[in-house]
Amino acid sequence: MFPKHILSVEQFDPKMIEHLFEETAKIKATMKGGNEAHYMGELVGKFLLNIFWETSTRTMCSFDAAAQWCGMMTFGIPNAPAFSSVAKGESLRDTARTLAGYHANVIVLRHPTVGAAAEAAQVIDSHGKQTSIINGGDGVGEHPTQALTDLYTIQDEGELKNIHVLFGGDPRYGRTIHSLARLLTRYNNVEMTFVAPEELQIDPTLKAYLDTQKVHYTIETDPRKVFPYADFVYWTRVQKERMDSELFAKLQHEGTFTIGRREMEMMKPTARLMHPLPRVGEISEEIDHDPRATYFRQAENGMYVRMALLLDLLRESK
Ligand code: NCD
């Protein structure tokens, strides 16, 4: 059974994921085969609403596109703190309850506070509404649909076992890393290395989680030492908005790390370089034509994965 709300990767087990990815692969083949309208009849009469307290390009637009390619109606509030009554001081709870009242089948919500999507889901359930909440990123917490996109990309371009994944950029504040690392613990023989300066290393909560899952992981400061061994290099931008300006200034002063041609030469010929995007200088455009540069394929996969999710969530319901 598919969960009503998608709040955390903890809700997904490998069986559900296998089913979701089979559907995703079919959707991708159909859409790329030129039959874009194939799913347009599937979710006619259903309504998806995006409401984002933080900016977004991929999550919001791919959900909108996914919904529309499945025939849904959509509406988006891309900057809730400026363009909704949040600017007047309205609470998340009242906002969520109001929007659910407009017969939204799905509300995708992005918010700077950990647990915001869960809180919206709780309000909706307590008032007997059928609306599903999808967590589009809750602060430094989780980003489950990005993690499913990333996991699908790993499967599509490699294998979901016997791999070494290097996480770099900002493992401490990057929610996409938190969700993907948690999901990867479900698969056999996945080794992880987290590379970052001390201030950006994974926090004790994630470490404790990885320990309880008995995952083999290491902490490193120099990515060059790990590049030759990694099957997947998963990089992120430093999450400037999550840290105080002093720390950000210090990190800037110490110098930023950019993956360019030289770094790609250190990686395996079969390696894949992933990034949830946006990149802001940590991957040089000079390597975009390298077949191992996976980030734009990864972004495209996001729409197929979200179509599969919406179909699973809504096809038999109501
Ligand atoms: C990320 C996010 O919002 O967490 N982007 C995304 O959804 N693809 C990554 C980021 O903002 O750095």
Side-chain angles (χ1 to χ4, degrees), residues 171-225:
R172 172 160 312 230
Y173 299 105
R175 56 193 171 201
T176 67
I177 293 182
H178 303 162
S179 286
L180 181 58
R182 280 169 185 263
L183 261 190
L184 283 170
T185 62
R186 317 279 162 82
Y187 294 89
N188 283 335
N189 195 20
V190 176
E191 190 181 335
M192 304 185 213
T193 303
F194 298 91
V195 184
E198 206 195 318
E199 298 93 331
L200 298 184
Q201 260 306 344
I202 53 170
D203 68 7
T205 317
L206 184 54
K207 276 188 189 156
Y209 181 85
L210 297 173
D211 288 335
T212 57
Q213 302 298 310
K214 304 203 175 6
V215 173
H216 182 61
Y217 72 93
T218 35
I219 301 290
E220 234 333 313
T221 48
D222 185 358
R224 279 167 283 242
K225 285 192 189 152

Side-chain angles (χ1 to χ4, degrees), residues 4 93-94 97 100 120-130:
K4 177 182 174 191
R93 301 172 70 82
D94 288 358
R97 191 177 170 189
Q122 185 269 324
V123 176
I124 277 166
D125 290 345
S126 75
H127 291 285
K129 302 274 189 223
Q130 290 307 307

Side-chain angles (χ1 to χ4, degrees), residues 55 58-59 110 143 146 175-176 237 239 241 276-278:
T55 57
R58 274 145 292 269
T59 306
R110 170 171 288 184
H143 194 345
Q146 180 65 41
R175 56 193 171 201
T176 67
R237 75 183 168 92
Q239 309 281 300
E241 68 275 35
L277 301 176

Side-chain angles (χ1 to χ4, degrees), residues 43 46 72 105-106 310-317:
L43 299 178
K46 310 266 188 217
M72 294 177 79
N105 299 88
V106 177
L310 291 174
L311 290 170
D312 267 345
L313 201 62
L314 298 175
R315 206 147 37 187
E316 342 58 273
S317 75

Side-chain angles (χ1 to χ4, degrees), residues 5-267:
H5 306 292
I6 298 175
L7 305 173
S8 160
V9 290
E10 297 298 322
Q11 296 169 284
F12 290 86
D13 61 41
K15 222 150 176 70
M16 285 162 73
I17 291 173
E18 194 186 324
H19 168 79
L20 184 77
F21 287 179
E22 275 169 19
E23 181 86 43
T24 304
K26 264 189 238 159
I27 293 169
K28 183 173 178 177
T30 308
M31 300 284 287
K32 284 185 92 82
N35 199 357
E36 274 116 346
H38 184 78
Y39 295 92
M40 298 247 1
E42 294 278 355
L43 299 178
V44 172
K46 310 266 188 217
F47 179 30
L48 176 137
L49 227 150
N50 275 307
I51 179 156
F52 280 50
W53 269 251
E54 293 181 338
T55 57
S56 170
T57 298
R58 274 145 292 269
T59 306
M60 185 159 169
C61 297
S62 68
F63 259 117
D64 199 297
Q68 295 211 41
W69 283 122
C70 291
M72 294 177 79
M73 299 176 290
T74 67
F75 183 74
I77 306 173
N79 183 351
F83 298 127
S84 74
S85 284
V86 171
K88 299 176 184 167
E90 187 165 42
S91 69
L92 165 70
R93 301 172 70 82
D94 288 358
T95 306
R97 191 177 170 189
T98 304
L99 297 179
Y102 301 149
H103 294 254
N105 299 88
V106 177
I107 296 176
V108 184
L109 188 142
R110 170 171 288 184
H111 198 279
T113 310
V114 176
E119 190 183 345
Q122 185 269 324
V123 176
I124 277 166
D125 290 345
S126 75
H127 291 285
K129 302 274 189 223
Q130 290 307 307
T131 308
S132 293
I133 295 288
I134 298 182
N135 181 3
D138 59 336
V140 295
E142 280 217 42
H143 194 345
T145 65
Q146 180 65 41
L148 290 167
T149 297
D150 299 339
L151 197 73
Y152 176 77
T153 304
I154 292 175
Q155 179 183 287
D156 202 33
E157 308 244 350
E159 260 198 294
L160 275 177
K161 60 176 184 221
N162 309 327
I163 49 171
H164 184 170
V165 183
L166 183 168
F167 287 104
D170 190 349
R172 172 160 312 230
Y173 299 105
R175 56 193 171 201
T176 67
I177 293 182
H178 303 162
S179 286
L180 181 58
R182 280 169 185 263
L183 261 190
L184 283 170
T185 62
R186 317 279 162 82
Y187 294 89
N188 283 335
N189 195 20
V190 176
E191 190 181 335
M192 304 185 213
T193 303
F194 298 91
V195 184
E198 206 195 318
E199 298 93 331
L200 298 184
Q201 260 306 344
I202 53 170
D203 68 7
T205 317
L206 184 54
K207 276 188 189 156
Y209 181 85
L210 297 173
D211 288 335
T212 57
Q213 302 298 310
K214 304 203 175 6
V215 173
H216 182 61
Y217 72 93
T218 35
I219 301 290
E220 234 333 313
T221 48
D222 185 358
R224 279 167 283 242
K225 285 192 189 152
V226 198
F227 284 149
Y229 309 105
D231 299 296
F232 290 89
V233 174
Y234 188 101
W235 216 260
T236 68
R237 75 183 168 92
V238 172
Q239 309 281 300
K240 184 181 175 186
E241 68 275 35
R242 311 274 179 233
M243 59 191 70
D244 59 49
S245 48
E246 260 164 58
L247 173 56
F248 187 69
K250 178 176 178 281
L251 294 165
Q252 291 290 96
H253 182 72
E254 284 165 5
T256 47
F257 186 83
T258 304
I259 300 182
R261 278 201 196 98
R262 217 155 18 116
E263 288 69 26
M264 293 305 279
E265 272 167 25
M266 297 175 201
M267 294 179 202

